[in-house]
Amino acid sequence: MHDVHEHLTKELHECLHFCEECHDACLHAIQHCLKKGGKHATSEHIRLLQDCVQICHTSADFILRGSPLHSHTCEACAAVCAACAESCEQLGDNEVAKYCRECAESCGKHAHAHVD
């Protein structure tokens, strides 16, 4: 059986990993924030977490498929993850913010990669 990730460079494999971790962290954070209520459950914060979940999933999908357009999804992912990290930090959720920052940094490296 061949490696399904054989087309990935070490850096893209790392980016994929960060996208998946951030996706999972934000997905769990949505439920946590809704249960906590108050400022944690504002529509703006929940929407940003949902945006982060979706863009991380999309970016990971583009990377996995070897899409030559992955730099575009990485650019969007970096921007959304950075905004989500800031929102989480303002609410004192530094753990989720850490995942978002790592993903933003990793995706940011691929945001301006050459598109074939």
Side-chain angles (χ1 to χ4, degrees):
M1 185 171 184
H2 70 291
D3 181 6
V4 295
H5 297 148
E6 65 188 19
H7 68 280
L8 298 180
T9 64
K10 180 184 177 206
E11 292 79 16
L12 277 176
H13 193 272
E14 183 178 271
C15 189
L16 172 64
H17 172 75
F18 285 127
C19 285
E20 290 171 341
E21 280 193 338
C22 187
H23 170 275
D24 293 351
C26 288
L27 192 59
H28 291 292
I30 291 168
Q31 295 308 310
H32 172 75
C33 288
L34 289 172
K35 286 179 186 174
K36 195 162 186 172
K39 62 185 179 179
H40 296 272
T42 64
S43 61
E44 294 83 11
H45 183 63
I46 297 300
R47 186 176 321 120
L48 190 50
L49 286 166
Q50 290 171 327
D51 288 349
C52 200
V53 167
Q54 189 62 50
I55 195 62
C56 286
H57 177 78
T58 300
S59 188
D61 185 53
F62 271 59
I63 292 169
L64 277 173
R65 291 186 293 103
S67 173
L69 300 174
H70 79 270
S71 65
H72 296 289
T73 57
C74 281
E75 182 174 15
C77 192
V80 173
C81 287
C84 193
E86 187 176 313
S87 182
C88 288
E89 287 168 347
Q90 289 175 357
L91 296 173
D93 192 345
N94 294 322
E95 185 176 346
V96 175
K98 177 185 84 73
Y99 287 110
C100 293
R101 291 254 179 246
E102 289 172 341
C103 190
E105 182 179 326
S106 185
C107 278
K109 292 176 186 175
H110 301 285
H112 303 290
H114 176 68
V115 178
D116 295 330

